[in-house]
Amino acid sequence: MNNESIGIMGGTFDPIHYGHLILAQHVLDEMGLKKIMFIPSGISYLKSNKGTSDKKHRFNMTKLGIINNKRFEVSTIEIDRVGNTYTVDTIEELNEKYPNNTYYFIIGADSLFDLVKWKNYKRLFKICNFVVTNRGSTYTDEQLQQEIHRLKSKYDAKINLIRIPDIEISSSEIRRRVKNRLSIKYLLPEDVEKYIHDNELYI
């Protein structure tokens, strides 16, 4: 896995759905990346993990969700880590294992404005590229461009803005629908839907 440009999709993936997959494929194509690595999160220090499904289930669902795309892969790098999960540690570990690769961490537009709250964000800007997508954004294009310009000017951050189709699917809505005995068909891959029902998740 040397000398490759790799996109990183982080998240709880509770569950993974077509919104995640469409976004990942769009970034893969637009950025000309070799592959996308899906990294189910461990214990995030920025989010409460209360109510989050067991990491085993989240990994299994992610694996099932990407199984038909040879340019998608899933990593246990964060769920294997003890304690809080920090993106900077993940990138450092990947760079140590595969020093010739270039990583592009994919984030939603709202996360762009929180980057300076991330652990060792200045270090992160030095060792990782970012791809910002407009998925679920509450900001205008002009606001996004202004913040990207500010981070580039102040921290020499490497940030790309990729516009994707707005797919109104969320993991929280899928969980709500399962709890209320409503169909989740066409919101996520069939194998993931079956896994949810077989393991009685979200009920």
Side-chain angles (χ1 to χ4, degrees):
M1 209 164 72
N2 286 334
N3 299 306
E4 296 180 347
S5 295
I6 298 173
I8 295 177
M9 279 277 290
T12 53
F13 301 120
D14 194 19
I16 192 169
H17 54 68
Y18 282 132
H20 296 127
L21 300 173
I22 291 169
L23 185 155
Q25 185 65 48
H26 210 79
V27 171
L28 182 80
D29 294 338
E30 289 288 321
M31 295 294 298
L33 304 178
K34 181 74 173 179
K35 64 180 69 174
I36 299 288
M37 181 186 297
F38 288 75
I39 303 182
S41 61
I43 302 172
S44 171
Y45 80 108
L46 282 179
K47 292 184 179 179
S48 169
N49 278 56
K50 186 178 179 181
T52 302
S53 298
D54 185 272
K55 60 187 179 182
K56 174 192 74 174
H57 289 312
R58 295 187 290 108
F59 171 79
N60 288 340
M61 287 189 288
T62 305
K63 189 174 182 180
L64 287 170
I66 67 170
I67 200 166
N68 293 320
N69 192 324
K70 292 181 179 178
R71 293 172 71 187
F72 287 175
E73 65 180 44
V74 60
S75 169
T76 62
I77 190 170
E78 289 196 354
I79 60 177
D80 287 344
R81 191 176 298 141
V82 177
N84 285 341
T85 296
Y86 300 101
T87 300
V88 67
D89 296 335
T90 299
I91 301 300
E92 291 274 24
E93 189 174 337
L94 288 171
N95 279 334
E96 189 175 320
K97 286 182 178 178
Y98 312 105
N100 295 320
N101 287 344
T102 303
Y103 294 101
Y104 295 81
F105 198 90
I106 303 164
I107 59 173
D110 291 356
S111 295
L112 174 69
F113 294 84
D114 288 331
L115 280 177
V116 294
K117 298 178 184 176
W118 292 20
K119 180 188 176 185
N120 291 353
Y121 65 92
K122 292 180 182 178
R123 171 65 179 159
L124 196 52
F125 286 144
K126 284 183 170 62
I127 63 174
C128 185
N129 303 276
F130 284 88
V131 177
V132 180
T133 69
N134 57 308
R135 181 176 182 263
S137 176
T138 57
Y139 296 95
T140 65
D141 252 24
E142 185 180 0
Q143 288 172 317
L144 294 176
Q145 294 285 11
Q146 285 177 349
E147 181 64 6
I148 289 171
H149 178 73
R150 187 184 76 82
L151 293 173
K152 283 183 174 181
S153 298
K154 189 169 184 179
Y155 303 109
D156 198 26
K158 299 174 285 292
I159 305 174
N160 298 274
L161 176 63
I162 299 292
R163 293 169 183 82
I164 63 167
D166 201 5
I167 309 297
E168 292 294 334
I169 304 175
S170 71
S171 297
S172 58
E173 173 63 11
I174 291 172
R175 295 193 299 269
R176 185 195 70 80
R177 293 185 68 84
V178 174
K179 185 177 181 179
N180 289 287
R181 311 289 181 177
L182 300 172
S183 173
I184 55 172
K185 191 174 290 293
Y186 311 125
L187 298 177
L188 70 180
E190 288 183 5
D191 286 348
V192 180
E193 180 184 2
K194 184 177 185 300
Y195 185 92
I196 289 170
H197 293 315
D198 288 350
N199 290 276
E200 301 181 339
L201 299 180
Y202 314 132
I203 58 177

